[in-house]
Amino acid sequence: MGAHSAPEHRRERAASSLPARAGVGFKSVHLAEIEASARDVGFFEIHAENYMGAGGTPHAQLMRLRKDSPLSIHGVGLSVGGAEPLDREHLGRLKTLVERYDPAAFSEHLAWSTLGARFLNDLLPLPYNATTLAHVIAHVDELQEALGRPILLENLAAYLRFRSSEYSEIEFLREVVRRTDCRLLLDVTNVYVSATNLAYSAEDYIDAFPMSFVEEIHLAGYAEDVDEVGAPLLIDAHCAPVADAVWRLYDRALARCGPVATLIEWDNDVPSWPTLLAQATQAEAFLERRRAVEDGLKSEALHDDLG
């Protein structure tokens, strides 16, 4: 696959068939309550690396969940942004998992997390320059070729800038999309975390983001800290309810892209099912309000045409 043009068979294919509803990350501790609640969320998302074994309880539970609900698979360990070649064994396990469940979407991060044989338990940011761009394009091409589908690529929470960057993050993502025909997963919480940590406008970032390529949104809670000079430092910890400031950014994003599949992420200090469901219900309310606005605009346009 050439790094400078997306394959023709992908050009008209979306990366996601998830419904434009609110979903949640699946946690096995919630399974009984999920099955008793008649699937009150639009979809479920799993981390790929938790299901790379051949069988056992995790797959038995996922098969039960998959019967009645759309599924999104989210990769966290492929190191798409790394300078080294993709791990072929890891890629093979991903391919097997995707073929097994045929998810409505597959996503990965614009990040790196490996160094030689070492796996670093974090998603680390990249310098946005020509060298990194070449690596990312080659890796996204290789991943899409292996999976036989376009992927969603997610923006990362950042805690520093690289002096060697030649592009803004948005410019970098636009170029990756143009050169690979992947799509984007907009993590609104990551936007807020990065904007706070690096002192730029989260609203301006949302206003400039290429929303036409966004096929999923992530929302999560964060942890609060301070840096060495006492300035606010936010950590993308997925450990709390979505903050009011993030909900406002989410509403701003929906005003540009319209209703889109939205995931509530809560991976640490996992709450009760009713608490997690309440967060999804809140996201669903934002989606419904946006639908109502768009329906109203369509009605006005039809009235004007008939008038």
Side-chain angles (χ1 to χ4, degrees):
M1 183 185 303
H4 296 278
S5 62
E8 291 297 328
H9 73 276
R10 287 203 189 114
R11 292 196 185 279
E12 301 302 324
R13 183 179 176 186
S16 171
S17 59
L18 292 170
R21 292 195 56 202
V24 300
F26 172 61
K27 300 293 181 286
S28 60
V29 68
H30 295 147
L31 182 60
E33 290 173 285
I34 290 170
E35 291 183 325
S37 65
R39 300 293 196 268
D40 289 332
V41 297
F43 66 98
F44 292 93
E45 188 158 285
I46 62 164
H47 288 170
E49 286 72 14
N50 292 335
Y51 293 86
M52 287 185 168
T57 299
H59 284 288
Q61 291 180 337
L62 196 55
M63 290 297 290
R64 286 160 59 184
L65 191 76
R66 181 69 178 86
K67 286 180 181 178
D68 300 311
S69 298
L71 181 67
S72 176
I73 296 181
H74 191 48
V76 297
L78 193 58
S79 202
V80 167
E84 299 171 330
L86 295 182
D87 184 323
R88 299 297 298 175
E89 291 184 3
H90 190 103
L91 186 57
R93 290 190 292 267
L94 275 179
K95 178 179 173 63
T96 298
L97 184 64
V98 168
E99 289 176 346
R100 183 172 189 171
Y101 289 103
D102 189 24
F106 177 84
S107 54
E108 250 291 357
H109 301 82
L110 182 63
W112 67 279
S113 55
T114 57
L115 184 62
R118 294 184 177 183
F119 178 79
L120 308 172
N121 193 27
D122 207 344
L123 295 166
L124 301 170
L126 317 173
Y128 296 131
N129 56 39
T131 299
T132 306
L133 180 63
H135 290 311
V136 171
I137 289 169
H139 291 165
V140 171
D141 274 346
E142 184 179 1
L143 176 56
Q144 293 186 144
E145 186 69 30
L147 300 185
R149 59 165 68 200
I151 69 161
L152 301 174
L153 195 61
E154 178 183 349
N155 60 296
L156 197 65
Y159 310 96
L160 53 82
R161 287 189 179 94
F162 289 90
R163 292 192 181 94
S164 60
S165 287
E166 302 164 355
Y167 304 86
S168 71
E169 181 172 85
I170 288 175
E171 291 169 339
F172 192 92
L173 284 166
R174 281 185 182 276
E175 191 64 13
V176 174
V177 170
R178 186 183 74 82
R179 302 269 289 272
T180 69
D181 209 34
C182 72
R183 307 296 193 276
L184 298 177
L185 190 166
L186 172 61
D187 191 313
V188 175
T189 300
N190 285 353
V191 173
Y192 185 74
V193 167
S194 297
T196 300
N197 293 342
L198 303 180
Y200 61 81
S201 169
E203 291 78 11
D204 288 351
Y205 185 103
I206 292 294
D207 292 347
F209 202 80
M211 292 294 182
S212 61
F213 301 114
V214 172
E215 296 187 15
E216 187 179 342
I217 287 176
H218 277 186
L219 302 171
Y222 51 77
E224 298 183 63
D225 204 339
V226 294
D227 65 16
E228 67 276 6
V229 297
L233 178 67
L234 303 185
I235 309 297
D236 179 35
H238 299 178
C239 62
V242 178
D244 289 344
V246 175
W247 285 120
R248 290 192 292 271
L249 273 184
Y250 174 54
D251 197 37
R252 193 181 189 100
L254 292 182
R256 291 196 58 224
C257 67
V260 64
T262 299
L263 182 82
I264 301 295
E265 293 185 290
W266 200 324
D267 299 315
N268 296 300
D269 300 327
V270 175
S272 68
W273 174 246
T275 298
L276 187 58
L277 181 58
Q279 290 279 281
T281 300
Q282 192 168 350
E284 196 72 52
F286 278 90
L287 291 166
E288 286 297 330
R289 285 197 293 272
R290 178 47 46 187
R291 288 189 190 95
V293 168
E294 293 190 355
D295 288 346
L297 292 173
K298 289 177 183 176
S299 295
E300 288 180 12
L302 179 60
H303 182 270
D304 291 343
D305 287 343
L306 294 175

